Amino acid sequence: MYQYDTFDHQLLADRVAEFSDQVDRRLTGALTEDQFRPLRLMNGLYLEMHAYMLRVAIPYGVLSSRQLRGLAAVARTWDKGYGHFTTRQNIQFNWPRLTDVPAILQALADVEMHAIQTSGACIRNVTIDPFAGVAGDEIADPRPWAEIIRQWSTLHPEFTFLPRKFKIAISGAIEDRAAVRFHDIGLRVIRNDAGDLGFRVWVGGGLGRTPRVARELRPFLPAAQILGYLEAALRVYNLHGRRDNKYKARIKILVDEIGIDAYRDQVEAEWHAAGGPALVVPEAEIARVADFFAVPDYVTLPDATVELARWRGADSGFDAWMGTNILTHRAPGYAAVTVSLKPVGGIPGDITADQMDAMADLADRYSLGELRATKEQNLVLPNVRQDQLHALWSALRSLGLETANKGRVTDIISCPGQDYCSLANARSIPMAQEISRRFADRRRLDTLGPITLNVSGCINACGHHHVGNIGLLGVDKRGAEAYQLVLGGDAGEADSSIAQITGRAMTAEEAVDAVEVTAAVYLDRRQDAETFIQTFRRIGVTPFKEAIDAAR
Amino acid sequence: MPLVKLNTPGGLTAPVADWPLLAEDAYVPPTGPVLVPLATWLAGRDTLKDRPDTGVWLAAGDDATALGDDLPAVVAIRFAAFTDGRGYSQARLLRERLGFTGELRAVGDVLVDQARFLTRSGFDAFQVAEGSDLVHFEAALGRFSVVYQAAADRATPVVALRHPSYWSAAE
Amino acid sequence: MTQQIVTASRLADGRVLFRAPEGWSTDIHDALVFTPEEAAAAVTRAQGEPTRVVGAYAVDVDDAGLPLLGRERIRVFGPTVAPYAAQLEA
Ligand code: SF4
């Protein structure tokens, strides 16, 4: 993992001092709330329904056991003993006091973490494939680039008051697990015919009230030129993005309005005028950062085929977990394990301080001290020896973290919704909990196979409902909560699609029933081994619509 | 509103009177001090550029590069709202693209907490509220000893401190 | 007839406050019930306490003095989801 040097530490120390001063000035009245709001937001501090909410960046989702213990300490000391992992590889604390935030930031700084730019109209936490560096299908590791971009974007003087927030995602594997085409800028690590490392650059993707699949900005950009190019792309957006209407201020609308070709021409012109290909990240810096992500000293191991087969045969719980929560690792004899934060009837992404500490211990014991946070609101132990999988699973079981549902319909992605969020139209969590209970049966889960289900409490789409195979959106029906069901979304680069509306908004109960009907239509209409999304693509939304209407 | 200027790094001059901003299409007085809109400047550049007390002010939507090579001694960039960040890009274009070396003023809705972003983007003079306490402003200017990016202020970015040999070769 | 209470967030810790006879209270039972005109005046007065409260607004309530809208009820009683709903008194 990346480790801070004295410069990184100094910057964070300066930042903590600055924010402490801003908090003081707010408390004494030297700053008005209008002046303070953008400053606190730039530090991830919101004022929500019941209290302040602090969003802490987990840089590109990579966490050390020490950092997770640091987060547990924050939850225990200054919050109510739990945290919530978000769909952007961040963690949120729901109950901090404004007066405690400087102390929290200091505690975070001690473990090389911060809340810088986790909100506000600036460049947000870069997100990447949670299996970076360990996935079997990786072309190149995106982590060094994510760190290089993190540093460049941190307190960038020119891009801190953009028209709107700006999100960057990087994927380095064959399968896109970072949803690059649903970000303001998506970077796909590739190699050109000459074998040089670079990025395929996508622009103008996003969810919210105007969902858009990103368009291609550049088929190949040499990797070392990334910062100069991003600077040009951001400058054109900063100068020309709309500021008259916050719903039209994201870069996707600029690209819609002037067209991808005009936007590209402006970016290329700006980039060349500024120095273009000559603006490179120094070789030595790329090497320095990449060194932190060098392949660890894996023990040379055979795949533990025989033991695993024996354990799986002896224990159906372990067998199910192996069937869903394990990803092929690049090193023989190892596995990457997803620890589901979606127990039946639980709150997606929530984790208690005790569980955080326990997970940190398990990471030390079984995963070289490292964890990842995923946009699916789960945790990953990236480096587990196959011959220790059963021991790990047993330990997880004693913590209630052994749920075998990764990628299944109960692996529900959900925003906090109206239980916490002041922008919400409806509650998200109870909806997720009810669906999770209805589909809890193991055989049902396996019969339905891979399905993504996403719940957002309003059109801001923090639960990414537009890219759920099944999506639920909270809407306001004359002051009462209601839900709209959408179907057919897909976040992957190759098959990106935005979910389609099935009909009018329903009550919570009707919506859960409609999800059941949707599942039934799929099972009835699927051919051979088709997944839900494959069946949906073949038969379209109409059969689902009809069945849902008929059931009402 | 009074204007303060950077003198030594981190320090500010005592407040002085700011120059008035002339409205679009307004009559241009025969002598300054005055800041004229971009269009007025472009139309009357040949006569205006010899007046030492006449500069240009840019609105957020103006194309800073339109000033070209024939630059005034003073440019003011007006922030209608402090959340409108176009002025930062305009400032960098002026300094880094056009090579503007005159005085670059941030006027309008400018907050103390943006001081560092402003100086890093190339501003060296700032409108401040009447009677405002410059202690906070100076504190904000001195707040960060480390920067991650190269920008218009020529502060040495961390990457150059980490790899001194690379940077001297590139300069 | 429309009845309202006035609510805001406490600056120092963000907790939900209600306009009470003596200043502000965290307990809904202390909340004063206003006519809309009185409530509007109380909201305006709250702007005179910028270092104490943030974002004051009026909320329609029923005869028991509880908000009519679901959202506002959640704000009064806390998140509806266990296991944390039990921890809200702190
Ligand atoms: S989607 Fe809406 S309700 Fe959910 S967290 Fe985002 S803003 Fe809040």
Side-chain angles (χ1 to χ4, degrees):
Chain A
M1 301 193 30
Y2 185 73
Q3 270 160 21
Y4 278 24
D5 64 8
T6 53
F7 302 114
D8 301 310
H9 276 294
Q10 185 59 49
L11 185 123
L12 221 49
D14 294 343
R15 179 62 172 148
V16 172
E18 178 186 48
F19 193 66
S20 305
D21 174 58
Q22 289 169 346
V23 169
D24 280 348
R25 283 157 57 219
R26 175 67 189 96
L27 291 169
T28 58
L31 285 175
T32 66
E33 185 62 18
D34 282 346
Q35 291 169 333
F36 182 59
R37 187 184 306 111
L39 302 176
R40 69 165 155 74
L41 288 177
M42 250 180 269
N43 233 320
L45 189 64
Y46 289 72
L47 183 52
E48 290 292 358
M49 298 247 290
H50 315 286
Y52 288 97
M53 181 272 278
L54 181 68
R55 182 182 295 150
V56 176
I58 296 167
Y60 37 94
V62 178
L63 263 178
S64 69
S65 54
R66 179 165 168 259
Q67 289 175 320
L68 187 54
R69 287 191 191 95
L71 294 173
V74 169
R76 207 173 271 125
T77 315
W78 293 288
D79 209 272
K80 296 197 179 196
Y82 68 105
H84 172 78
F85 284 104
T86 75
T87 53
R88 294 210 70 255
Q89 300 181 314
N90 293 317
I91 187 167
Q92 295 181 174
F93 295 105
N94 290 309
W95 305 95
R97 296 161 200 271
L98 177 60
T99 45
D100 287 337
V101 173
I104 298 175
L105 294 182
Q106 184 55 55
L108 291 170
D110 292 343
V111 293
E112 305 183 359
M113 297 186 86
H114 60 73
I116 298 172
Q117 289 166 217
T118 54
S119 179
C122 50
I123 304 168
R124 304 289 190 85
N125 187 19
V126 178
T127 53
I128 64 166
D129 181 352
F131 297 101
V134 301
D137 65 341
E138 190 160 272
I139 299 158
D141 190 344
R143 289 173 299 172
W145 299 103
E147 177 59 27
I148 285 167
I149 292 171
R150 182 191 75 81
Q151 296 191 15
W152 162 79
S153 64
T154 297
L155 304 185
H156 196 297
E158 186 178 350
F159 304 134
T160 301
F161 294 91
L162 295 168
R164 199 87 166 79
K165 58 188 159 188
F166 201 92
K167 301 175 180 177
I168 299 174
I170 317 176
S171 181
I174 291 170
E175 185 190 343
D176 168 25
R177 286 175 290 257
V180 293
R181 294 190 73 186
F182 290 100
H183 284 76
D184 294 290
I185 282 195
L187 299 173
R188 195 54 195 279
V189 186
I190 51 172
R191 286 191 187 278
N192 66 6
D193 294 342
D196 305 324
L197 196 68
F199 298 105
R200 182 178 191 188
V201 184
W202 297 97
V203 70
L207 302 172
R209 79 180 54 206
T210 320
R212 282 288 178 280
V213 177
R215 288 138 276 186
E216 189 184 78
L217 183 56
R218 215 171 203 275
F220 185 82
L221 177 76
Q225 295 171 11
I226 186 65
L227 298 186
Y229 195 77
L230 284 177
E231 197 136 318
L234 265 295
R235 181 171 290 167
V236 171
Y237 168 56
N238 190 38
L239 286 170
H240 302 296
R242 285 182 63 173
R243 291 174 186 266
D244 57 330
N245 178 340
K246 89 176 213 208
Y247 300 116
K248 300 200 164 163
R250 294 290 287 271
I251 196 172
K252 60 192 170 189
I253 305 292
L254 176 67
V255 174
D256 278 1
E257 289 183 353
I258 69 175
I260 181 65
D261 295 328
Y263 176 73
R264 181 185 303 112
D265 291 348
Q266 290 185 30
V267 171
E268 294 281 328
E270 175 56 42
W271 183 48
H272 282 281
L279 300 171
V280 295
V281 185
E283 253 343 297
E285 178 65 0
I286 298 172
R288 184 188 77 90
V289 176
D291 252 7
F292 289 109
F293 303 102
V295 178
D297 293 327
Y298 293 121
V299 184
T300 313
L301 289 170
D303 281 332
T305 323
V306 177
E307 294 103 304
L308 287 176
R310 183 157 50 77
W311 289 323
R312 290 183 74 158
D315 194 325
S316 63
F318 180 69
D319 181 53
W321 184 74
M322 284 295 298
T324 47
N325 290 36
I326 306 299
L327 188 89
T328 311
H329 201 282
R330 61 192 278 171
Y334 281 81
V337 171
T338 297
V339 176
S340 169
L341 299 181
K342 320 290 175 63
V344 174
I347 298 177
D350 269 21
I351 183 168
T352 66
D354 291 347
Q355 286 176 325
M356 287 188 231
D357 278 336
M359 281 301 300
D361 292 345
L362 292 180
D364 282 338
R365 189 122 126 248
Y366 296 111
S367 183
L368 309 176
E370 194 184 316
L371 307 102
R372 310 284 173 82
T374 76
K375 69 176 165 52
E376 290 79 20
Q377 302 174 285
N378 292 317
L379 288 172
V380 165
L381 293 170
N383 289 304
V384 182
R385 287 172 57 148
Q386 291 177 8
D387 58 7
Q388 297 183 333
L389 281 169
H390 192 266
L392 169 64
W393 175 77
S394 306
L396 288 172
R397 198 168 50 161
S398 66
L399 296 168
L401 292 171
E402 85 292 12
T403 316
N405 63 351
K406 189 204 163 209
R408 296 293 193 252
V409 69
T410 55
D411 185 6
I412 299 171
I413 295 168
S414 169
C415 79
Q418 201 165 58
D419 283 298
Y420 292 99
C421 173
S422 55
L423 301 173
N425 287 322
R427 288 174 296 161
S428 307
I429 297 167
M431 178 59 82
Q433 290 174 313
E434 182 55 24
I435 295 170
S436 159
R437 283 187 211 103
R438 290 254 196 129
F439 287 89
D441 179 68
R442 177 86 253 143
R443 267 165 322 199
R444 243 190 133 180
L445 279 189
D446 287 342
T447 317
L448 288 169
I451 299 186
T452 56
L453 196 154
N454 299 52
V455 189
S456 301
C458 79
I459 194 66
N460 287 325
C462 303
H464 302 172
H465 64 277
H466 296 297
V467 291
N469 294 169
I470 300 175
L472 284 160
L473 163 66
V475 294
D476 179 286
K477 239 186 174 177
R478 276 168 263 112
E481 52 186 6
Y483 300 85
Q484 201 156 52
L485 181 75
V486 296
L487 294 175
D490 188 339
E493 185 197 36
D495 294 311
S496 316
S497 59
I498 290 164
Q500 301 167 37
I501 294 173
T502 56
R504 31 189 197 90
M506 301 171 264
T507 64
E509 218 171 300
E510 288 170 340
V512 178
D513 290 342
V515 172
E516 296 246 24
V517 172
T518 301
V521 171
Y522 158 59
L523 292 181
D524 184 46
R525 300 288 302 270
R526 80 166 158 199
Q527 292 175 356
D528 310 320
E530 268 179 350
T531 60
F532 175 85
I533 191 72
Q534 288 165 339
T535 301
F536 179 88
R537 290 209 171 106
R538 181 172 52 76
I539 67 177
V541 74
T542 313
F544 293 95
K545 263 188 188 166
E546 287 170 358
I548 291 165
D549 283 344
R552 283 167 64 151
Chain B
M1 280 205 292
L3 193 75
V4 294
K5 304 181 187 188
L6 280 188
N7 49 16
T8 51
L12 290 170
T13 62
V16 295
D18 195 8
W19 298 1
L21 267 55
L22 199 70
E24 201 86 43
D25 298 327
Y27 166 74
V28 182
T31 58
V34 69
L35 294 162
V36 302
L38 177 63
T40 308
W41 172 265
L42 293 178
R45 168 150 50 190
D46 290 343
T47 51
L48 293 173
K49 72 170 189 231
D50 296 326
R51 295 167 39 164
D53 55 0
T54 300
V56 178
W57 71 273
L58 301 178
D62 286 342
D63 176 8
T65 60
L67 282 169
D69 299 332
D70 227 354
L71 295 159
V74 173
V75 176
I77 292 176
R78 183 167 176 270
F79 289 80
F82 72 90
T83 48
D84 186 336
R86 285 178 282 187
Y88 298 98
S89 290
Q90 291 171 316
R92 288 195 67 185
L93 285 170
L94 268 172
R95 291 290 192 208
E96 296 170 68
R97 187 72 38 83
L98 302 184
F100 175 64
T101 54
E103 185 173 295
L104 184 54
R105 300 178 179 177
V107 303
D109 192 12
V110 178
L111 292 191
V112 164
D113 297 277
Q114 297 173 306
R116 244 338 235 152
F117 297 138
L118 292 167
T119 55
R120 296 225 60 218
S121 299
F123 290 96
D124 54 5
F126 319 90
Q127 216 175 44
V128 292
E130 201 73 56
S132 58
D133 187 353
L134 295 183
V135 171
H136 286 309
F137 207 111
E138 296 199 324
L141 287 174
R143 181 75 70 197
F144 287 93
S145 48
V146 165
V147 299
Y148 277 133
Q149 321 76 6
D153 63 345
R154 305 262 152 194
T156 312
V158 165
V159 64
L161 300 171
R162 284 174 180 148
H163 312 285
S165 58
Y166 167 82
W167 205 253
S168 45
E171 280 291 275
Chain C
M1 213 196 70
T2 309
Q3 317 176 79
Q4 295 186 321
I5 58 171
V6 170
T7 180
S9 301
R10 186 157 61 198
L11 175 69
D13 62 4
R15 295 300 189 270
V16 178
L17 295 176
F18 305 98
R19 185 77 224 182
E22 314 274 329
W24 297 87
S25 170
T26 53
D27 187 345
I28 180 85
H29 298 107
D30 297 336
L32 281 172
V33 176
F34 294 111
T35 66
E37 295 71 37
E38 291 164 350
V43 167
T44 309
R45 274 200 307 281
Q47 283 154 13
E49 299 180 80
T51 58
R52 198 174 149 75
V53 299
V54 183
Y57 63 100
V59 171
D60 290 353
V61 292
D62 61 17
D63 288 335
L66 294 178
L68 300 177
L69 282 183
R71 176 192 190 277
E72 297 305 328
R73 285 191 177 230
I74 293 173
R75 202 157 164 278
V76 170
F77 296 112
T80 62
V81 289
Y84 308 109
Q87 304 181 11
L88 292 180
E89 357 18 284

